[in-house]
Amino acid sequence: MTEKEKMLAGEIYSAVDKELLEELAATREMIHDYNLLRPSEKAKKLELLKSLLGHIGDDEVIINQPFYCDYGKQISVGKRFFANFHFTVLDEAAVTIGDNCFIGPDVSIYTACHSTDPVERNSRKEWALPVSIGHNVWIGGHVTILPGATIGDNVTIGAGSVVVGDIPSDSIAVGNPCRVVKKIEHTP
């Protein structure tokens, strides 16, 4: 397996692999171009997002600048997606976001994992765990979502939270670590 195949499979891989470093550099060039576009250049922004991200649900996707990601191709967003300023995604693994999701400013999603052992960490070996966010989710400002987290449908994550695990559908969750504080009852 190549280092990229290992990365995408969730296995330990070398983060300093030449192919991966070249892909990171190419993505950073695209991100640089995206972040320099004028707010009025909506068509160009959408065109760049379509070439950068792995999947976009429709033409109503808005990601305010600045936006940052590592690879882009592992990111999938659904219909009517909105992300505010300083949205950061370390997408060494898949990041899947459903329809009608709203992301507040300064939100970060991380899939990359590093050893807590300094010798292992300094070897530049790492692995990645996917992040999944359901439909109709609102993530407040300054939220951090850690590797392997799954957020269900119809969820609100309170500002400043750190999501370290799974958050079930139909809930409001807050805190560090983020935990459910209220279940949402739907009326028929």
Side-chain angles (χ1 to χ4, degrees):
M1 291 178 88
T2 66
E3 296 304 305
K4 182 176 182 177
E5 289 169 337
K6 291 177 189 175
M7 179 183 80
L8 295 175
E11 296 181 14
I12 295 174
Y13 67 95
S14 171
V16 292
D17 174 69
K18 183 181 179 200
E19 175 189 8
L20 292 175
L21 292 175
E22 288 172 358
E23 195 170 329
L24 283 167
T27 301
R28 284 190 175 57
E29 291 292 328
M30 292 176 70
I31 290 291
H32 176 79
D33 293 344
Y34 180 81
N35 287 332
L36 289 179
L37 289 173
R38 301 182 64 76
S40 60
E41 296 179 288
K42 293 178 182 179
K44 284 183 182 179
K45 286 171 67 175
L46 185 60
E47 179 183 321
L48 255 175
L49 284 176
K50 285 181 176 180
S51 62
L52 179 65
L53 303 184
H55 172 79
I56 291 181
D58 63 16
D59 289 351
E60 296 181 45
V61 168
I62 298 170
I63 300 178
N64 284 338
Q65 301 124 304
F67 163 60
Y68 305 100
C69 67
D70 277 343
Y71 295 95
K73 291 299 181 193
Q74 281 77 252
I75 302 170
S76 172
V77 299
K79 297 175 185 173
R80 295 171 302 281
F81 173 76
F82 173 82
N84 218 321
F85 307 107
H86 296 109
F87 182 42
T88 300
V89 183
L90 304 186
D91 61 313
E92 281 68 16
V95 174
T96 306
I97 303 171
D99 297 339
N100 299 304
C101 288
F102 300 92
I103 307 288
D106 299 303
V107 168
S108 297
I109 300 174
Y110 306 142
T111 66
C113 302
H114 307 278
S115 176
T116 56
D117 177 274
V119 174
E120 288 178 17
R121 186 172 52 248
N122 289 339
S123 74
R124 303 301 192 257
K125 298 283 186 182
E126 57 186 64
W127 66 98
L129 299 172
V131 169
S132 178
I133 299 170
H135 302 293
N136 309 309
V137 173
W138 176 25
I139 298 175
H142 292 276
V143 168
T144 301
I145 301 171
L146 297 181
T150 296
I151 298 171
D153 297 333
N154 310 310
V155 171
T156 298
I157 304 291
S161 296
V162 179
V163 181
V164 300
D166 296 347
I167 305 295
S169 293
D170 304 309
S171 60
I172 298 171
V174 300
N176 180 5
C178 190
R179 62 197 166 285
V180 174
V181 295
K182 182 178 179 181
K183 291 298 286 180
I184 299 171
E185 300 294 328
H186 295 284
T187 54

